[in-house]
Amino acid sequence: MKKFMAWLSEVFAPKMREITGKPWIAAISSAMQKIIPFILTGSIIFFYNVIRSYVPWLPDLGKIADYSFGLIGLIIAFMMTNQVMEKLKHPGYTITASLVAISVFMTFISPQFIDGNMVVEFGRFGPTGILVGMIAGLCVAVIFNFYGNLRLLRDSNMPDFVIEWVNNIVPILICLGLATTVVFYFNVDIFAVILWLFSPLQSFGQTLPGFILICFIPAFFYSMGISSWLFGAVTTPIFLAGIAGNIAAVQAGLPPTNIVTSETVFVTALITMGGMGATLALNVMMLFSKSRNMQTIGRICIGPSLFNINEPVMFSGPVVMNPLLMLPMWINAIVGPIVIWFVMRAGLLNIPAQLLQVGQIPAPITSVLVTGDWRAVPVYIILFAIYYFTWYPFFKVYEKECLEKEADLLEKNANA
């Protein structure tokens, strides 16, 4: 274990820091950090809705989530370009290019114009549009960065304000010209293309490899800040077909056989214990961390984590774009479904056979409710232990780095 931790600290972490320190990668990481307030605002409302489900007379605050977390795709388009321009030293483009990214994003989500009204599915603005927002932001950033590096009209005798106009108008025309051509003239729905890229998952969703991919791919992208909701259009048909088949089987007096359902993946909170990537164990470690910052974050995030809401710990932990904590999240996203698959196939835990969406009830309460099986409790305990020991070596290395940074900061403050 010591050798492994030493390798993580001395080889893996420095290499990954070198990669993530590159301007483009650093810009993506920085953009994800900048959208944290919007994500946390939405998370607070989701957490509030859990309480409201038990106290129905409380006011509906859903619109706050709609206009914060619900616009996260649009927001990330702006912020992605903004941070790339900042990291690549184009201060004159940080605002203009970012506003263009919003225009390109609006094009990419393929709005329809009917009788003077623009009609677009609202969901495309939100978590399902995060990847589209990133692509829009990065495409705009590439064009503005290329044009900015040309330094055209640098030695021109024209007035400065005219040079500035020209150097903004040209890349704006290129960005919007390309975007509108692809979407409106070639009728390419970028949003639909992204879903199409992941559509092969549907063909083998109810197999162990399919189960692993359905759990791993969203966790992999989530560790980069891309919401798992993006994959809903692909996974939802698989989940609904699976649970419908189980319900029909039970009604016919047969045992349920479809393991790959939303109830299994999310609602039992066994695979997603604390949220996607099984982050509850990490949050518990943070509560007892020697690092003051980690301990504080752990205390702030533990409430939502108990209700399987892990946006706070993912983005403020941080796990997102943190190489030391991304890897154990990926491991858990593979190990969790494998364990559940064999436990359910062996008859050691009931396969869910009722449509029950109560994912924000703390486990193992929800685990027992969904499976109708008290054996979900020992399975929960065993999986928690597995997740804990998966997180542990990576967490200790990261904690050591945090402690060193805190010590350096104290020393600087003392010498100031």
Side-chain angles (χ1 to χ4, degrees):
M1 178 63 74
K2 289 183 179 179
K3 290 183 179 180
F4 179 59
M5 291 178 69
W7 176 81
L8 284 174
S9 179
E10 298 169 11
V11 179
F12 179 76
K15 287 289 185 183
M16 292 305 294
R17 275 196 296 271
E18 181 181 343
I19 294 172
T20 56
K22 296 184 181 300
W24 285 90
I25 303 298
I28 295 174
S29 178
S30 179
M32 292 304 168
Q33 292 295 319
K34 297 289 185 182
I35 65 172
I36 287 175
F38 298 94
I39 293 172
L40 292 180
T41 300
S43 296
I44 289 170
I45 301 303
F46 297 150
F47 188 68
Y48 167 83
N49 284 340
V50 174
I51 300 172
R52 186 171 178 266
S53 65
Y54 297 100
V55 189
W57 54 264
L58 289 173
D60 183 2
L61 302 180
K63 290 301 179 184
I64 295 176
D66 289 343
Y67 290 95
S68 55
F69 192 49
L71 294 177
I72 205 69
L74 182 69
I75 293 166
I76 194 62
F78 177 94
M79 200 58 68
M80 188 64 64
T81 306
N82 180 274
Q83 290 304 295
V84 172
M85 292 296 97
E86 183 177 302
K87 300 296 182 185
L88 295 179
K89 312 300 183 185
H90 293 299
Y93 284 152
T94 52
I95 299 300
T96 302
S98 303
L99 293 173
V100 174
I102 290 178
S103 299
V104 171
F105 172 81
M106 292 295 297
T107 307
F108 278 5
I109 60 175
S110 301
Q112 302 296 315
F113 296 91
I114 303 173
D115 297 329
N117 297 313
M118 185 176 73
V119 181
V120 62
E121 182 184 344
F122 186 72
R124 293 192 172 198
F125 287 98
T128 53
I130 283 181
L131 189 54
V132 178
M134 291 180 66
I135 292 172
L138 289 172
C139 287
V140 171
V142 167
I143 292 171
F144 269 83
N145 179 57
F146 177 78
Y147 185 85
N149 288 336
L150 294 177
R151 300 182 180 278
L152 298 179
L153 304 178
R154 179 176 54 180
D155 300 322
S156 173
N157 293 324
M158 290 189 295
D160 290 343
F161 72 91
V162 175
I163 294 174
E164 184 179 355
W165 285 353
V166 172
N167 284 337
N168 278 278
I169 291 171
V170 172
I172 290 173
L173 285 172
I174 294 172
C175 290
L176 296 181
L178 290 174
T180 54
T181 298
V182 170
V183 174
F184 296 111
Y185 290 95
F186 290 101
N187 294 316
V188 177
D189 187 336
I190 301 296
F191 189 90
V193 168
I194 292 171
L195 296 183
W196 174 78
L197 291 174
F198 292 93
S199 61
L201 281 176
Q202 296 184 20
S203 62
F204 67 110
Q206 288 296 339
T207 65
L208 178 57
F211 190 28
I212 293 171
L213 284 176
I214 282 173
C215 295
F216 173 74
I217 292 176
F220 177 82
F221 282 97
Y222 189 26
S223 70
M224 299 178 187
I226 301 170
S227 174
S228 60
W229 292 8
L230 170 69
F231 305 92
V234 176
T235 58
T236 298
I238 298 173
F239 291 156
L240 289 178
I243 197 64
N246 288 346
I247 293 170
V250 170
Q251 289 175 343
L254 300 172
T257 58
N258 295 322
I259 293 175
V260 187
T261 65
S262 178
E263 284 72 16
T264 301
V265 175
F266 296 106
V267 185
T268 61
L270 295 172
I271 294 172
T272 54
M273 191 180 297
M276 181 74 66
T279 55
L280 180 61
L282 170 65
N283 205 153
V284 171
M285 289 182 199
M286 292 167 68
L287 289 174
F288 303 98
S289 174
K290 296 177 183 177
S291 165
R292 181 175 297 179
N293 289 340
M294 294 287 284
Q295 189 178 101
T296 300
I297 293 171
R299 290 173 178 173
I300 293 171
C301 298
I302 191 61
S305 287
L306 290 173
F307 286 85
N308 307 310
I309 299 169
N310 71 343
E311 281 84 0
V313 74
M314 283 294 297
F315 286 88
S316 63
V319 177
V320 171
M321 297 304 292
N322 182 337
L324 274 175
L325 298 182
M326 291 164 70
L327 185 56
M329 181 179 176
W330 300 344
I331 294 172
N332 286 336
I334 295 172
V335 173
I338 290 175
V339 171
I340 291 299
W341 179 274
F342 285 105
V343 166
M344 288 186 172
R345 278 282 176 259
L348 300 175
L349 181 65
N350 290 347
I351 296 174
Q354 54 182 330
L355 188 64
L356 189 61
Q357 295 294 321
V358 289
Q360 273 66 55
I361 293 178
I365 298 172
T366 184
S367 313
V368 175
L369 285 174
V370 174
T371 60
D373 191 344
W374 66 268
R375 293 176 297 179
V377 176
V379 171
Y380 176 90
I381 294 171
I382 292 169
L383 275 172
F384 180 85
I386 292 172
Y387 296 145
Y388 188 95
F389 286 110
T390 301
W391 283 109
Y392 184 77
F394 299 91
F395 172 77
K396 295 305 289 184
V397 173
Y398 183 62
E399 181 186 49
K400 181 182 177 183
E401 292 184 356
C402 290
L403 288 170
E404 290 173 355
K405 290 179 181 178
E406 289 174 17
D408 289 343
L409 183 61
L410 286 173
E411 184 177 349
K412 288 180 181 178
N413 289 337
N415 296 330

